[in-house]
Amino acid sequence: MRCFTQRDLGSLDKLYRINLINSLSGFKSANLIATVDDHGNENVAVFSSVIHLGSDPAVLGFILRPTTVARNSYDNLKQTGFYTINHISQEIMEDGHHTSAKYPKEVSEFKMTNLKSEYINNFKAPFVTQSPIKLAMKFVEEYPIKLNGTILVVGEILSAYIQDDLLEKDGFVNLSKGNIVSINGLDGYVLPKLQTRYPYQRPKNTSKTV
């Protein structure tokens, strides 16, 4: 088994280190975050850092890289207070990945790909039409991470739109049925398959081990 010490990691070629470290956390969510500014300029960008923070209220977070360069998604959601999170399916993963390209603010990634924007129930921010799961989000707060200059952005789910056949009777959302992909590292896309579901776990009878 190969071992990389902290010193080893610091001395690696930059691209090799980036690929390595970005792969170590395991498979990550693949989402498109869509925003619009007050002038109607739409933006959509791929994120692999969306995380569950709580169910009551329903809260999600995502990590934003340092704002030392232009971050249109961040600027827009701070300006309007709203954004959407859209799951990436196998059918749109190539276009979804292309949204990582650096376009000027006035050039919408919706225009440069086959991704389509739509507005649902007068929500301020656009959704990705082709996404099987779309979440309307309200910006709540942010936490700067001093170590590397990133920001944890926290938002509350205002509404969730879920493709009918993905929703099980007990509320479980079966992502496999929607061909929803995950990200391995920076640019590897995988199609997970549900293996099984386990029941709620309770402690075993400890008297048998005494």
Side-chain angles (χ1 to χ4, degrees):
M1 181 177 286
R2 180 77 178 274
C3 174
F4 292 90
T5 65
Q6 189 176 40
R7 177 178 294 181
D8 294 332
L9 295 174
S11 63
L12 292 172
D13 171 78
K14 181 180 179 181
L15 182 58
Y16 186 97
R17 182 175 69 252
I18 289 173
N19 284 329
L20 176 67
I21 300 302
N22 273 278
S23 301
L24 292 181
S25 61
F27 294 124
K28 297 175 286 188
S29 61
N31 299 107
L32 292 167
I33 292 182
T35 59
V36 65
D37 67 16
D38 285 337
H39 301 289
N41 296 310
E42 296 179 335
N43 175 266
V44 60
V46 59
F47 281 80
S48 62
S49 59
V50 174
I51 54 174
H52 166 85
L53 294 177
S55 299
D56 188 15
V59 179
L60 300 177
F62 71 91
I63 299 295
L64 185 87
R65 288 182 290 176
T67 55
T68 50
V69 299
R71 302 294 181 195
N72 296 330
S73 298
Y74 178 69
D75 293 342
N76 291 350
L77 72 86
K78 288 296 296 289
Q79 185 179 106
T80 67
F82 301 97
Y83 57 103
T84 68
I85 296 177
N86 307 267
H87 285 250
I88 299 177
S89 66
Q90 186 179 27
E91 291 72 21
I92 61 172
M93 64 183 181
E94 183 174 355
D95 281 323
H97 184 70
H98 184 72
T99 64
S100 62
K102 301 295 187 291
Y103 285 105
K105 180 178 177 63
E106 64 273 12
V107 178
S108 171
E109 293 81 2
F110 283 114
K111 299 296 185 182
M112 305 308 297
T113 66
N114 291 315
L115 299 172
K116 304 299 180 184
S117 69
E118 64 175 337
Y119 290 83
I120 303 174
N121 292 331
N122 296 316
F123 189 67
K124 175 69 175 179
F127 296 87
V128 177
T129 300
Q130 301 99 315
S131 179
I133 299 175
K134 320 176 210 288
L135 307 175
M137 303 295 300
K138 178 182 178 181
F139 171 74
V140 177
E141 54 191 328
E142 62 183 58
Y143 296 92
I145 300 174
K146 297 179 181 178
L147 180 64
N148 60 3
T150 57
I151 300 172
L152 171 61
V153 178
V154 179
E156 188 171 2
I157 300 176
L158 297 184
S159 56
Y161 302 90
I162 305 168
Q163 190 172 296
D164 289 339
D165 60 332
L166 307 189
L167 189 61
E168 307 287 357
K169 291 181 179 180
D170 64 351
F172 177 74
V173 180
N174 192 331
L175 303 181
S176 293
K177 288 184 178 180
N179 291 328
I180 293 172
V181 298
S182 295
I183 295 178
N184 182 183
L186 286 172
D187 53 15
Y189 287 76
V190 297
L191 185 62
K193 181 179 180 181
L194 180 67
Q195 300 300 314
T196 188
R197 293 181 66 192
Y198 292 104
Y200 181 82
Q201 297 296 290
R202 304 183 187 281
K204 296 180 180 179
N205 187 348
T206 57
S207 62
K208 295 181 180 180
T209 62
V210 177

Short mmCIF file of all heavy atoms in Angstrom, two decimals, residues 63-106:
data_model
loop_
_atom_site.label_atom_id
_atom_site.label_comp_id
_atom_site.label_asym_id
_atom_site.label_seq_id
_atom_site.Cartn_x
_atom_site.Cartn_y
_atom_site.Cartn_z
N ILE A 63 -19.34 23.99 -0.47
CA ILE A 63 -18.08 24.69 -0.30
C ILE A 63 -17.77 25.51 -1.55
O ILE A 63 -17.79 25.00 -2.67
CB ILE A 63 -16.93 23.71 -0.03
CG1 ILE A 63 -17.18 22.92 1.27
CG2 ILE A 63 -15.60 24.46 0.06
CD1 ILE A 63 -17.20 23.77 2.52
N LEU A 64 -17.49 26.78 -1.32
CA LEU A 64 -17.10 27.68 -2.40
C LEU A 64 -15.61 27.93 -2.31
O LEU A 64 -15.07 28.23 -1.24
CB LEU A 64 -17.86 29.00 -2.26
CG LEU A 64 -17.66 29.99 -3.39
CD1 LEU A 64 -18.66 29.71 -4.50
CD2 LEU A 64 -17.80 31.41 -2.90
N ARG A 65 -14.94 27.78 -3.45
CA ARG A 65 -13.51 28.02 -3.47
C ARG A 65 -13.20 29.50 -3.25
O ARG A 65 -14.09 30.34 -3.34
CB ARG A 65 -12.92 27.52 -4.80
CG ARG A 65 -12.89 26.01 -4.88
CD ARG A 65 -12.26 25.53 -6.18
NE ARG A 65 -13.11 25.81 -7.34
CZ ARG A 65 -12.75 25.56 -8.58
NH1 ARG A 65 -11.56 25.05 -8.85
NH2 ARG A 65 -13.57 25.83 -9.58
N PRO A 66 -11.94 29.83 -2.92
CA PRO A 66 -11.60 31.23 -2.57
C PRO A 66 -12.09 32.25 -3.59
O PRO A 66 -12.06 32.01 -4.80
CB PRO A 66 -10.07 31.20 -2.52
CG PRO A 66 -9.73 29.79 -2.13
CD PRO A 66 -10.77 28.94 -2.82
N THR A 67 -12.56 33.38 -3.08
CA THR A 67 -13.12 34.42 -3.94
C THR A 67 -12.05 35.41 -4.42
O THR A 67 -12.35 36.57 -4.70
CB THR A 67 -14.23 35.18 -3.19
OG1 THR A 67 -13.70 35.68 -1.94
CG2 THR A 67 -15.41 34.28 -2.91
N THR A 68 -10.81 34.93 -4.50
CA THR A 68 -9.73 35.76 -5.03
C THR A 68 -9.88 35.95 -6.53
O THR A 68 -9.25 36.82 -7.13
CB THR A 68 -8.36 35.13 -4.71
OG1 THR A 68 -8.38 33.75 -5.11
CG2 THR A 68 -8.08 35.21 -3.22
N VAL A 69 -10.71 35.09 -7.16
CA VAL A 69 -11.08 35.26 -8.57
C VAL A 69 -12.60 35.36 -8.64
O VAL A 69 -13.29 35.12 -7.64
CB VAL A 69 -10.57 34.08 -9.43
CG1 VAL A 69 -9.05 33.99 -9.39
CG2 VAL A 69 -11.19 32.76 -8.98
N ALA A 70 -13.13 35.69 -9.80
CA ALA A 70 -14.58 35.86 -9.95
C ALA A 70 -15.32 34.57 -9.65
O ALA A 70 -14.95 33.50 -10.15
CB ALA A 70 -14.89 36.33 -11.37
N ARG A 71 -16.34 34.66 -8.84
CA ARG A 71 -17.22 33.55 -8.51
C ARG A 71 -18.65 34.00 -8.79
O ARG A 71 -19.33 34.52 -7.90
CB ARG A 71 -17.05 33.12 -7.04
CG ARG A 71 -15.65 32.71 -6.64
CD ARG A 71 -15.20 31.44 -7.33
NE ARG A 71 -13.85 31.03 -6.94
CZ ARG A 71 -13.12 30.15 -7.59
NH1 ARG A 71 -13.59 29.57 -8.68
NH2 ARG A 71 -11.91 29.83 -7.18
N ASN A 72 -19.10 33.81 -10.02
CA ASN A 72 -20.39 34.35 -10.42
C ASN A 72 -21.56 33.76 -9.63
O ASN A 72 -22.51 34.46 -9.30
CB ASN A 72 -20.61 34.13 -11.92
CG ASN A 72 -19.60 34.89 -12.76
OD1 ASN A 72 -19.12 35.94 -12.35
ND2 ASN A 72 -19.27 34.36 -13.92
N SER A 73 -21.49 32.45 -9.35
CA SER A 73 -22.57 31.81 -8.58
C SER A 73 -22.71 32.48 -7.22
O SER A 73 -23.84 32.81 -6.78
CB SER A 73 -22.29 30.31 -8.40
OG SER A 73 -22.23 29.65 -9.63
N TYR A 74 -21.59 32.69 -6.56
CA TYR A 74 -21.58 33.30 -5.23
C TYR A 74 -22.09 34.74 -5.29
O TYR A 74 -22.95 35.14 -4.49
CB TYR A 74 -20.17 33.25 -4.66
CG TYR A 74 -19.99 33.90 -3.31
CD1 TYR A 74 -20.56 33.34 -2.17
CD2 TYR A 74 -19.23 35.06 -3.18
CE1 TYR A 74 -20.38 33.93 -0.92
CE2 TYR A 74 -19.04 35.65 -1.94
CZ TYR A 74 -19.61 35.09 -0.81
OH TYR A 74 -19.42 35.67 0.42
N ASP A 75 -21.58 35.51 -6.24
CA ASP A 75 -22.01 36.91 -6.36
C ASP A 75 -23.51 37.00 -6.58
O ASP A 75 -24.19 37.85 -5.98
CB ASP A 75 -21.27 37.59 -7.52
CG ASP A 75 -19.78 37.74 -7.26
OD1 ASP A 75 -19.37 37.65 -6.08
OD2 ASP A 75 -19.02 37.92 -8.23
N ASN A 76 -24.02 36.14 -7.45
CA ASN A 76 -25.45 36.19 -7.76
C ASN A 76 -26.32 35.81 -6.58
O ASN A 76 -27.33 36.46 -6.28
CB ASN A 76 -25.77 35.28 -8.95
CG ASN A 76 -25.18 35.78 -10.25
OD1 ASN A 76 -24.69 36.89 -10.34
ND2 ASN A 76 -25.23 34.93 -11.28
N LEU A 77 -25.97 34.72 -5.88
CA LEU A 77 -26.82 34.28 -4.77
C LEU A 77 -26.75 35.25 -3.60
O LEU A 77 -27.72 35.40 -2.86
CB LEU A 77 -26.49 32.84 -4.35
CG LEU A 77 -25.19 32.53 -3.61
CD1 LEU A 77 -25.32 32.72 -2.11
CD2 LEU A 77 -24.78 31.08 -3.89
N LYS A 78 -25.61 35.92 -3.45
CA LYS A 78 -25.54 36.94 -2.39
C LYS A 78 -26.36 38.17 -2.79
O LYS A 78 -26.94 38.84 -1.92
CB LYS A 78 -24.07 37.34 -2.15
CG LYS A 78 -23.25 36.27 -1.45
CD LYS A 78 -23.74 35.99 -0.03
CE LYS A 78 -23.60 37.17 0.90
NZ LYS A 78 -22.20 37.48 1.27
N GLN A 79 -26.42 38.45 -4.08
CA GLN A 79 -27.16 39.60 -4.57
C GLN A 79 -28.66 39.39 -4.44
O GLN A 79 -29.40 40.28 -4.00
CB GLN A 79 -26.78 39.88 -6.03
CG GLN A 79 -27.40 41.13 -6.62
CD GLN A 79 -26.95 41.35 -8.06
OE1 GLN A 79 -27.72 41.14 -9.00
NE2 GLN A 79 -25.70 41.77 -8.23
N THR A 80 -29.13 38.20 -4.82
CA THR A 80 -30.58 37.94 -4.84
C THR A 80 -31.07 37.18 -3.61
O THR A 80 -32.25 37.27 -3.26
CB THR A 80 -30.96 37.11 -6.07
OG1 THR A 80 -30.39 35.80 -5.97
CG2 THR A 80 -30.45 37.77 -7.34
N GLY A 81 -30.18 36.39 -2.99
CA GLY A 81 -30.57 35.59 -1.84
C GLY A 81 -31.11 34.22 -2.20
O GLY A 81 -31.50 33.45 -1.30
N PHE A 82 -31.11 33.86 -3.49
CA PHE A 82 -31.70 32.60 -3.92
C PHE A 82 -30.83 31.90 -4.96
O PHE A 82 -30.10 32.54 -5.72
CB PHE A 82 -33.10 32.83 -4.49
CG PHE A 82 -34.06 33.47 -3.52
CD1 PHE A 82 -34.28 34.84 -3.55
CD2 PHE A 82 -34.69 32.71 -2.55
CE1 PHE A 82 -35.14 35.44 -2.64
CE2 PHE A 82 -35.56 33.29 -1.64
CZ PHE A 82 -35.79 34.65 -1.68
N TYR A 83 -30.96 30.58 -5.01
CA TYR A 83 -30.25 29.77 -6.00
C TYR A 83 -30.94 28.42 -6.08
O TYR A 83 -31.85 28.12 -5.29
CB TYR A 83 -28.77 29.60 -5.63
CG TYR A 83 -28.50 28.99 -4.27
CD1 TYR A 83 -28.11 27.65 -4.14
CD2 TYR A 83 -28.61 29.74 -3.10
CE1 TYR A 83 -27.84 27.09 -2.89
CE2 TYR A 83 -28.35 29.19 -1.85
CZ TYR A 83 -27.96 27.87 -1.76
OH TYR A 83 -27.70 27.31 -0.52
N THR A 84 -30.56 27.61 -7.05
CA THR A 84 -31.12 26.26 -7.15
C THR A 84 -29.99 25.24 -7.18
O THR A 84 -28.88 25.53 -7.63
CB THR A 84 -31.99 26.06 -8.40
OG1 THR A 84 -31.18 26.10 -9.58
CG2 THR A 84 -33.08 27.11 -8.48
N ILE A 85 -30.29 24.05 -6.67
CA ILE A 85 -29.37 22.91 -6.74
C ILE A 85 -30.05 21.84 -7.58
O ILE A 85 -31.19 21.45 -7.30
CB ILE A 85 -29.03 22.36 -5.35
CG1 ILE A 85 -28.29 23.42 -4.53
CG2 ILE A 85 -28.20 21.08 -5.45
CD1 ILE A 85 -27.98 23.00 -3.09
N ASN A 86 -29.37 21.40 -8.62
CA ASN A 86 -29.94 20.46 -9.59
C ASN A 86 -29.02 19.25 -9.73
O ASN A 86 -27.83 19.41 -9.98
CB ASN A 86 -30.10 21.14 -10.94
CG ASN A 86 -30.87 22.45 -10.85
OD1 ASN A 86 -32.07 22.49 -11.03
ND2 ASN A 86 -30.15 23.54 -10.59
N HIS A 87 -29.57 18.05 -9.56
CA HIS A 87 -28.75 16.84 -9.68
C HIS A 87 -28.36 16.58 -11.13
O HIS A 87 -29.15 16.81 -12.05
CB HIS A 87 -29.50 15.64 -9.11
CG HIS A 87 -29.55 15.61 -7.62
ND1 HIS A 87 -28.86 14.70 -6.86
CD2 HIS A 87 -30.21 16.40 -6.74
CE1 HIS A 87 -29.09 14.92 -5.58
NE2 HIS A 87 -29.91 15.95 -5.48
N ILE A 88 -27.15 16.07 -11.32
CA ILE A 88 -26.66 15.75 -12.65
C ILE A 88 -26.93 14.28 -12.95
O ILE A 88 -26.50 13.40 -12.22
CB ILE A 88 -25.16 16.03 -12.78
CG1 ILE A 88 -24.87 17.52 -12.54
CG2 ILE A 88 -24.64 15.62 -14.16
CD1 ILE A 88 -23.40 17.87 -12.57
N SER A 89 -27.65 14.03 -14.03
CA SER A 89 -27.90 12.66 -14.48
C SER A 89 -26.88 12.29 -15.54
O SER A 89 -26.16 13.15 -16.08
CB SER A 89 -29.31 12.53 -15.05
OG SER A 89 -29.44 13.30 -16.23
N GLN A 90 -26.84 10.99 -15.86
CA GLN A 90 -25.90 10.51 -16.87
C GLN A 90 -26.11 11.23 -18.20
O GLN A 90 -25.16 11.49 -18.95
CB GLN A 90 -26.06 9.00 -17.05
CG GLN A 90 -25.05 8.36 -17.97
CD GLN A 90 -25.26 6.86 -18.07
OE1 GLN A 90 -26.36 6.36 -17.90
NE2 GLN A 90 -24.19 6.13 -18.33
N GLU A 91 -27.36 11.56 -18.50
CA GLU A 91 -27.69 12.16 -19.78
C GLU A 91 -27.12 13.56 -19.95
O GLU A 91 -26.90 14.02 -21.08
CB GLU A 91 -29.21 12.20 -19.97
CG GLU A 91 -29.88 10.83 -20.16
CD GLU A 91 -29.93 9.99 -18.88
OE1 GLU A 91 -29.82 10.57 -17.77
OE2 GLU A 91 -30.08 8.76 -19.00
N ILE A 92 -26.86 14.27 -18.86
CA ILE A 92 -26.37 15.65 -18.97
C ILE A 92 -25.00 15.85 -18.35
O ILE A 92 -24.56 16.99 -18.17
CB ILE A 92 -27.38 16.65 -18.34
CG1 ILE A 92 -27.57 16.35 -16.85
CG2 ILE A 92 -28.71 16.63 -19.09
CD1 ILE A 92 -28.40 17.41 -16.12
N MET A 93 -24.29 14.78 -18.06
CA MET A 93 -23.03 14.93 -17.32
C MET A 93 -21.95 15.64 -18.15
O MET A 93 -21.14 16.38 -17.59
CB MET A 93 -22.52 13.59 -16.78
CG MET A 93 -22.15 12.56 -17.78
SD MET A 93 -21.67 11.01 -16.95
CE MET A 93 -21.26 10.00 -18.39
N GLU A 94 -21.92 15.42 -19.47
CA GLU A 94 -20.89 16.09 -20.27
C GLU A 94 -21.11 17.60 -20.29
O GLU A 94 -20.18 18.38 -20.05
CB GLU A 94 -20.88 15.54 -21.69
CG GLU A 94 -19.78 16.14 -22.56
CD GLU A 94 -19.67 15.51 -23.93
OE1 GLU A 94 -20.39 14.51 -24.20
OE2 GLU A 94 -18.86 15.99 -24.73
N ASP A 95 -22.35 18.00 -20.53
CA ASP A 95 -22.65 19.43 -20.49
C ASP A 95 -22.50 19.98 -19.07
O ASP A 95 -22.04 21.12 -18.89
CB ASP A 95 -24.07 19.69 -20.99
CG ASP A 95 -24.17 19.67 -22.51
OD1 ASP A 95 -23.22 20.14 -23.17
OD2 ASP A 95 -25.18 19.18 -23.04
N GLY A 96 -22.88 19.17 -18.09
CA GLY A 96 -22.73 19.60 -16.71
C GLY A 96 -21.28 19.88 -16.37
O GLY A 96 -20.95 20.89 -15.73
N HIS A 97 -20.39 19.00 -16.81
CA HIS A 97 -18.97 19.18 -16.52
C HIS A 97 -18.43 20.41 -17.24
O HIS A 97 -17.55 21.11 -16.72
CB HIS A 97 -18.17 17.95 -16.92
CG HIS A 97 -16.72 18.05 -16.57
ND1 HIS A 97 -16.27 18.02 -15.27
CD2 HIS A 97 -15.61 18.22 -17.35
CE1 HIS A 97 -14.95 18.15 -15.26
NE2 HIS A 97 -14.53 18.29 -16.51
N HIS A 98 -18.95 20.71 -18.44
CA HIS A 98 -18.45 21.86 -19.19
C HIS A 98 -18.72 23.17 -18.47
O HIS A 98 -18.03 24.17 -18.71
CB HIS A 98 -19.07 21.91 -20.59
CG HIS A 98 -18.51 23.02 -21.42
ND1 HIS A 98 -17.23 22.99 -21.93
CD2 HIS A 98 -19.04 24.23 -21.80
CE1 HIS A 98 -16.99 24.11 -22.60
NE2 HIS A 98 -18.08 24.88 -22.54
N THR A 99 -19.68 23.20 -17.55
CA THR A 99 -19.96 24.44 -16.82
C THR A 99 -18.82 24.83 -15.89
O THR A 99 -18.85 25.91 -15.30
CB THR A 99 -21.27 24.33 -16.01
OG1 THR A 99 -21.12 23.33 -14.99
CG2 THR A 99 -22.45 23.99 -16.90
N SER A 100 -17.81 23.97 -15.76
CA SER A 100 -16.63 24.33 -14.96
C SER A 100 -15.71 25.26 -15.74
O SER A 100 -14.77 25.83 -15.18
CB SER A 100 -15.86 23.08 -14.54
OG SER A 100 -15.39 22.36 -15.67
N ALA A 101 -15.94 25.42 -17.06
CA ALA A 101 -15.15 26.34 -17.86
C ALA A 101 -15.39 27.78 -17.40
O ALA A 101 -16.48 28.13 -16.95
CB ALA A 101 -15.51 26.20 -19.34
N LYS A 102 -14.37 28.60 -17.51
CA LYS A 102 -14.43 29.97 -17.00
C LYS A 102 -14.92 30.93 -18.10
O LYS A 102 -14.17 31.34 -18.97
CB LYS A 102 -13.05 30.41 -16.50
CG LYS A 102 -12.48 29.53 -15.39
CD LYS A 102 -13.33 29.63 -14.13
CE LYS A 102 -12.68 28.89 -12.97
NZ LYS A 102 -12.67 27.43 -13.15
N TYR A 103 -16.20 31.25 -18.04
CA TYR A 103 -16.77 32.21 -18.98
C TYR A 103 -16.93 33.57 -18.29
O TYR A 103 -17.10 33.63 -17.06
CB TYR A 103 -18.14 31.73 -19.46
CG TYR A 103 -18.09 30.60 -20.46
CD1 TYR A 103 -18.43 29.30 -20.08
CD2 TYR A 103 -17.73 30.83 -21.78
CE1 TYR A 103 -18.38 28.25 -21.00
CE2 TYR A 103 -17.69 29.79 -22.71
CZ TYR A 103 -18.01 28.51 -22.31
OH TYR A 103 -17.97 27.48 -23.22
N PRO A 104 -16.93 34.66 -19.06
CA PRO A 104 -17.23 35.97 -18.47
C PRO A 104 -18.64 35.97 -17.89
O PRO A 104 -19.50 35.20 -18.32
CB PRO A 104 -17.12 36.93 -19.67
CG PRO A 104 -16.30 36.21 -20.68
CD PRO A 104 -16.60 34.74 -20.49
N LYS A 105 -18.88 36.86 -16.96
CA LYS A 105 -20.17 36.93 -16.27
C LYS A 105 -21.34 37.07 -17.23
O LYS A 105 -22.41 36.51 -17.01
CB LYS A 105 -20.16 38.10 -15.28
CG LYS A 105 -21.45 38.27 -14.50
CD LYS A 105 -21.34 39.40 -13.51
CE LYS A 105 -22.66 39.62 -12.77
NZ LYS A 105 -23.05 38.45 -11.96
N GLU A 106 -21.14 37.81 -18.32
CA GLU A 106 -22.24 38.07 -19.24
C GLU A 106 -22.53 36.90 -20.18
O GLU A 106 -23.50 36.94 -20.94
CB GLU A 106 -21.96 39.33 -20.06
CG GLU A 106 -20.76 39.24 -20.98
CD GLU A 106 -19.45 39.63 -20.30
OE1 GLU A 106 -19.44 39.74 -19.06
OE2 GLU A 106 -18.46 39.82 -21.03
#
